[in-house]
Amino acid sequence: MGRKVTLATCSLNQWALDFEGNLTRILKSIEIAKQRGAKYRLGPELEICGYGCADHFYESDTLLHCFQVLKSLMESPLTQDIICDVGMPVMHHNIITIMHIYIYICMYVCMYVCIMSIFIFDRKILLIRPKMLLANYGNNREFRWFSPWSRPRYVEEYFLPRMIQDLTGQTTVPFGDGVLSTKDTCLGSEICAELWNPRSPHVDMGLDGIEIFTNSSASYHELRKADHRVNLIKSATTKSGGIYLFANQKGCDGDRLYYDGCAMIAINGDIVARGAQFSLEDVEVVTATLDLEDVRSYRGESIFLTAQEYEHKPYTRIKTDFSLSDCDDRCLPTHQPVEWIFHTPEEEISLGPACWLWDYLRRSGQAGFLLPLSGGVDSSSTACIVYSMCVQICQAIKDGNSQVLEDVQRVVNDSSYRPEDPRELCGHLFTTCYMASENSSEDTRNRAKDLAAQIGSNHLNINIDMAVKGMLGIFSMVTGKWPQFCANGGSARENLALQNVQARIRMILAYLFAQLCLWAQGKPGGLLVLGSANVDESLTGYFTKYDCSSADINPIGGVSKMDLKCFLQYCVKSFQLTALIGILDAPPTAELEPLTDGKVVQTDEADMGMTYSELSVIGRLRKISKCGPYSMFCKLIHSWKETFSPSQVATKVKHFFRMYSINRHKMTTVTPSYHAENYSPDDNRFDLRPFLYNTQWAWQFRCIDNEVSSSTEQCDFGNHSNILIYYECWKQLCCLIYLMNKRLKRTAFIQNKKKF
């Protein structure tokens, strides 16, 4: 009897509502899995329609087209002689849920819409397994569209749509929290967030004898997050043994998120096969051949006592006359553990946003990107990400990726073009422009020019002074007044307005050149305008509303300033972009106020009233630690006690919350940004807070003031440095008393001696 099984999982670059393309990619993954000898294939969550359909899940069209794609899958000869696990939404009892359908299919349909896993095999639906725990945090809002299946280990019958009945001859199929039993093993399904839950289903399934666990996910990328997934999957099979398959979506599904793949297979706590975290491949299949006896021997001792105490109702086993193993598999080599090398945050910034940009560009139908390049850290980071995209594209084509080559030729409108060098490709896809004003310095102009030359972009020098004076001339004609900078005797209101008019004109010119730049060269198409405001500036609102931070998309809008500086240092070493050294050394500045002796006097950190390093700490406390003004102050007086006094910490916290609340309205119009940080202030979905505040924060700030007064009165003995000072003073006082006492005694002795 065979005992070795070959299993396949995959990462697919699905796109919301792209039913045609999604079907093609699913079929290709099944074909690759079969070519590698797999008898079971797992796909990502909601792979038929795409995860990011959002309110399209309310539409009956979405559900209808999912079943039509499912029918096409079952009709394909590729789905014969292999168990396929596909994901889609289904309605059952007028409720929608997420399901997995085993073809051999497993699927879930509910009087509510559910996310399901559908197991299909030889034109039969074996089981529809609904999602039991929905994701409702971060960027996920599954409870808005779906309902979970809340009946553990319960299975009922689901009536199939007529189009599926006519194909399979089945009227109903099992629907619920069941497992699939083949002739040689037993499979159980988890769906995405169920793995992250403290009561993950794989625990009970393992105790009930299920040997293979599968997880279809749509897990998006965040910096420093990949190891969390890997550790969860290793832990899931370390405790009770078993084989675990993880599938994930990859690419840009049509929104701010990038799904970073990382499909993997584990057994008994070890990863034995893994896919790439960042890749331009639309279809990536990971397979492994494993021995079921390794699972059984691992469990033989460790799970025996626990299993005797298992009191839950057993899982309903849906039996199928099929084996995942062959009788003649004795000579098949099994996969051995592999070491997972994680990317550094700098590498993640280089790869993730670059892949996201490429997906967005090729799917948008545009011909490239345009970036206002100021010669500062932020815009230079955006430029380097575009260059990294070109590096990855050239490497993918060199590795034989025909889909990438076809997409490049379509974007540049040249069917004979084959990129060989990233700089050359950058010249076809990327236009940068330095928009100078009378307040711009030669240093920033030269830094922008040098970087553009090193990455190979088409670089333009544009002077905006004429446009600025034209705008101010219109204002002067109407009002009879001409505003002045503070440096020239103007008021703060005049100063701010003059800065903003420069910034907003840059936005208008950026869109003008993006639309007509290629037209002027006799080329077809337009360019996507890239933004370059970082997450810290968004948090405080340190940018002009509708200035050149307003763009089509922004690859660094979810990345902190400190991470961007580390990323540029990485680019200096990895891409030999030496022009970045001067950019890193220069102080960040908007260059919107008059120069002094040709030098910049305005700096970003001076304008903001705090450093970018301090902002990064504050941003994490506000979002991740969920701190309001008072609790943030209480945390910072300890973590910053070596640097700032309590009153100084209070001043910084108050200043931040005033800036945050005054400028929160800007986040309602901010450019769609790549989601990279879990303290992102993105108003669209991730950070659901008001945009109109009472900016006095009277009650909260009064609590802070009371705490500062209290700490001052108590002399702050919690401060280690103060304790040392007080201790030294006490020692000196004791010595002084001792010496005075000794002197008094000596004086008294001498006086007594004289008496005698």
Side-chain angles (χ1 to χ4, degrees):
M1 183 66 180
R3 63 184 185 180
K4 294 180 180 178
V5 294
T6 300
L7 308 169
T9 183
C10 60
S11 296
L12 302 183
N13 195 340
Q14 304 298 76
W15 189 7
L17 302 179
D18 180 24
F19 293 100
E20 190 76 31
N22 293 348
L23 172 60
T24 300
R25 289 180 282 270
I26 292 170
L27 286 172
K28 184 177 180 181
S29 70
I30 296 171
E31 181 181 14
I32 295 172
K34 291 183 71 173
Q35 289 172 352
R36 297 180 183 176
K39 296 291 186 71
Y40 171 86
R41 174 267 182 200
L42 174 70
E45 185 177 23
L46 291 169
E47 60 182 320
I48 286 180
C49 58
Y51 184 82
C53 294
D55 282 1
H56 288 289
F57 285 122
Y58 290 136
E59 300 168 5
S60 61
D61 281 14
T62 303
L63 305 179
L64 169 65
H65 298 326
C66 284
F67 270 109
Q68 290 171 336
V69 171
L70 180 62
K71 181 175 181 288
S72 297
L73 281 171
M74 298 178 70
E75 290 173 334
S76 170
L78 290 173
T79 57
Q80 308 308 304
D81 299 318
I82 184 171
I83 296 179
C84 296
D85 182 340
V86 299
M88 61 180 277
V90 180
M91 182 171 284
H92 182 50
H93 303 317
N94 298 330
I95 304 173
I96 303 175
T97 190
I98 302 174
M99 312 184 190
H100 268 270
I101 303 179
Y102 293 88
I103 319 176
Y104 281 102
I105 285 190
C106 161
M107 175 174 114
Y108 178 46
V109 187
C110 226
M111 222 173 156
Y112 36 105
V113 176
C114 301
I115 302 173
M116 306 186 193
S117 191
I118 303 180
F119 294 85
I120 60 177
F121 177 76
D122 285 348
R123 297 190 180 178
K124 297 290 182 183
I125 295 179
L126 301 177
L127 170 66
I128 297 175
R129 199 282 192 177
K131 189 169 185 177
M132 302 177 66
L133 299 167
L134 300 182
N136 208 50
Y137 47 83
N139 286 289
N140 301 302
R141 296 288 181 273
E142 289 178 3
F143 273 103
R144 179 178 175 90
W145 310 295
F146 307 111
S147 294
W149 179 251
S150 57
R151 307 180 73 178
R153 288 172 288 281
Y154 178 81
V155 175
E156 63 186 34
E157 292 298 307
Y158 168 71
F159 281 87
L160 293 169
R162 187 168 299 170
M163 72 173 84
I164 304 297
Q165 290 183 27
D166 294 341
L167 176 65
T168 67
Q170 299 169 286
T171 303
T172 63
V173 294
F175 175 90
D177 185 21
V179 296
L180 191 65
S181 181
T182 64
K183 295 193 320 186
D184 51 357
T185 188
C186 192
L187 301 93
S189 176
E190 291 185 324
I191 305 177
C192 200
E194 294 172 4
L195 170 63
W196 275 258
N197 192 274
R199 299 189 63 179
S200 297
H202 69 258
V203 177
D204 287 337
M205 286 192 285
L207 293 173
D208 198 26
I210 287 82
E211 295 177 325
I212 301 174
F213 313 115
T214 67
N215 188 299
S216 299
S217 280
S219 179
Y220 56 83
H221 172 243
E222 280 181 353
L223 296 179
R224 307 170 181 88
K225 174 185 173 185
D227 62 324
H228 188 43
R229 279 191 220 118
V230 176
N231 292 336
L232 280 171
I233 290 167
K234 290 172 70 173
S235 173
T237 56
T238 298
K239 291 180 290 186
S240 58
I243 297 170
Y244 204 107
L245 278 73
F246 176 83
N248 196 19
Q249 187 159 309
K250 67 192 306 186
C252 170
D253 192 22
D255 206 344
R256 294 156 171 78
L257 307 179
Y258 177 77
Y259 300 91
D260 56 340
C262 288
M264 67 188 90
I265 301 176
I267 180 171
N268 299 340
D270 292 317
I271 305 295
V272 294
R274 57 158 293 185
Q277 184 177 8
F278 305 104
S279 168
L280 299 185
E281 293 281 351
D282 280 352
V283 177
E284 183 181 24
V285 178
V286 176
T287 57
T289 299
L290 301 168
D291 196 334
L292 293 172
E293 289 301 318
D294 289 339
V295 175
R296 293 160 188 166
S297 60
Y298 184 92
R299 287 180 169 182
E301 180 179 2
S302 62
I303 204 171
F304 176 72
L305 294 175
T306 309
Q308 290 188 77
E309 302 170 3
Y310 184 67
E311 299 177 354
H312 291 296
K313 172 187 173 183
Y315 282 86
T316 300
R317 281 166 161 76
I318 310 302
K319 298 178 181 178
T320 179
D321 187 22
F322 183 70
S323 294
L324 296 182
S325 58
D326 293 321
C327 294
D328 56 349
D329 62 10
R330 292 181 181 83
C331 296
L332 281 176
T334 56
H335 282 63
Q336 299 303 307
V338 297
E339 183 182 2
W340 196 297
I341 306 298
F342 295 101
H343 293 291
T344 64
E346 296 78 29
E347 290 173 327
E348 290 185 275
I349 296 170
S350 175
L351 297 169
C355 292
W356 181 74
L357 280 181
W358 174 239
D359 259 8
Y360 200 99
L361 175 61
R362 69 193 183 106
R363 289 173 170 176
S364 68
Q366 298 300 302
F369 299 114
L370 181 137
L371 171 69
L373 183 59
S374 68
V377 167
D378 294 335
S379 61
S380 298
S381 296
T382 299
C384 288
I385 288 171
V386 175
Y387 182 73
S388 175
M389 180 196 78
C390 294
V391 171
Q392 293 184 66
I393 290 171
C394 290
Q395 186 60 50
I397 293 173
K398 184 178 178 181
D399 294 340
N401 190 320
S402 58
Q403 181 63 57
V404 173
L405 177 59
E406 180 183 324
D407 288 334
V408 169
Q409 292 171 343
R410 179 172 46 80
V411 170
V412 302
N413 195 40
D414 184 352
S415 59
S416 64
Y417 176 65
R418 186 182 182 88
E420 301 290 343
D421 177 70
R423 292 184 71 257
E424 173 221 349
L425 178 59
C426 209
H428 283 83
L429 299 179
F430 194 29
T431 297
T432 54
C433 55
Y434 182 81
M435 299 186 183
S437 74
E438 60 185 13
N439 302 318
S440 302
S441 68
E442 282 298 315
D443 291 340
T444 54
R445 183 197 301 269
N446 291 333
R447 287 196 290 266
K449 178 183 175 182
D450 292 344
L451 178 59
Q454 289 189 1
I455 65 176
S457 66
N458 292 314
H459 191 63
L460 307 173
N461 280 304
I462 305 169
N463 192 292
I464 68 170
D465 287 336
M466 186 185 303
V468 172
K469 289 176 181 176
M471 291 288 288
L472 294 176
I474 294 172
F475 178 82
S476 180
M477 285 176 59
V478 174
T479 64
K481 292 182 177 293
W482 192 283
Q484 299 291 332
F485 284 104
C486 286
N488 299 325
S491 65
R493 283 192 294 173
E494 294 171 72
N495 199 73
L496 182 60
L498 288 173
Q499 291 185 63
N500 287 343
V501 73
Q502 296 171 73
R504 289 184 173 125
I505 281 174
R506 284 177 173 143
M507 184 269 289
I508 294 170
L509 288 172
Y511 273 99
L512 176 64
F513 276 83
Q515 290 178 315
L516 295 180
C517 195
L518 295 181
W519 167 80
Q521 301 172 37
K523 298 178 181 178
L527 303 175
L528 291 165
V529 180
L530 295 181
S532 56
N534 63 62
V535 70
D536 298 320
E537 290 175 353
S538 297
L539 186 65
T540 58
Y542 184 67
F543 60 91
T544 301
K545 199 173 185 178
Y546 304 118
D547 71 344
C548 59
S549 65
S550 298
D552 293 315
I553 50 176
N554 180 4
I556 68 164
V559 187
S560 72
K561 190 82 163 189
M562 304 307 295
D563 281 338
L564 289 176
K565 289 183 176 181
C566 294
F567 165 63
L568 291 187
Q569 292 170 349
Y570 164 83
C571 290
V572 172
K573 298 176 182 177
S574 298
F575 301 142
Q576 288 74 53
L577 300 178
T578 54
L580 295 172
I581 297 174
I583 292 170
L584 282 165
D585 291 339
T589 175
E591 290 196 333
L592 295 172
E593 295 188 27
L595 304 175
T596 300
D597 298 326
K599 299 295 182 182
V600 173
V601 293
Q602 176 193 30
T603 64
D604 293 349
E605 291 184 334
D607 283 355
M608 290 190 298
M610 59 187 69
T611 67
Y612 282 107
S613 178
E614 292 164 1
L615 262 180
S616 184
V617 173
I618 286 173
R620 286 178 167 83
L621 288 175
R622 184 201 65 95
K623 176 65 179 176
I624 301 172
S625 300
K626 302 170 181 61
C627 289
Y630 177 72
S631 56
M632 183 181 292
F633 166 79
C634 291
K635 289 181 182 294
L636 288 176
I637 57 173
H638 297 292
S639 59
W640 287 355
K641 64 183 179 182
E642 302 296 336
T643 310
F644 302 112
S645 67
S647 61
Q648 290 173 316
V649 173
T651 299
K652 285 185 177 291
V653 170
K654 290 178 183 179
H655 178 63
F656 165 75
F657 274 96
R658 286 195 188 99
M659 289 177 65
Y660 169 77
S661 56
I662 289 169
N663 293 315
R664 178 64 183 168
H665 65 95
K666 296 180 181 180
M667 294 308 299
T668 63
T669 61
V670 75
T671 296
S673 302
Y674 178 92
H675 175 83
E677 276 287 5
N678 54 3
Y679 74 86
S680 166
D682 181 9
D683 177 73
N684 172 264
R685 179 186 298 174
F686 189 72
D687 190 34
L688 303 182
R689 285 172 167 80
F691 61 85
L692 178 63
Y693 286 88
N694 182 339
T695 60
Q696 300 302 312
W697 299 87
W699 190 282
Q700 296 92 327
F701 287 1
R702 187 161 59 249
C703 289
I704 293 175
D705 292 338
N706 292 340
E707 196 68 29
V708 171
S709 299
S710 175
S711 63
T712 302
E713 291 171 2
Q714 294 173 13
C715 297
D716 192 17
F717 278 100
N719 189 313
H720 180 65
S721 60
N722 285 348
I723 290 176
L724 292 176
I725 293 171
Y726 299 142
Y727 176 65
E728 289 298 326
C729 291
W730 177 77
K731 283 200 306 181
Q732 292 179 23
L733 180 62
C734 288
C735 289
L736 182 63
I737 293 172
Y738 171 76
L739 291 172
M740 290 178 65
N741 205 19
K742 191 174 181 180
R743 178 169 291 184
L744 286 170
K745 287 181 179 179
R746 181 176 177 80
T747 303
F749 174 77
I750 293 172
Q751 289 176 347
N752 289 335
K753 189 175 180 181
K754 286 180 177 178
K755 288 179 181 179
F756 290 107

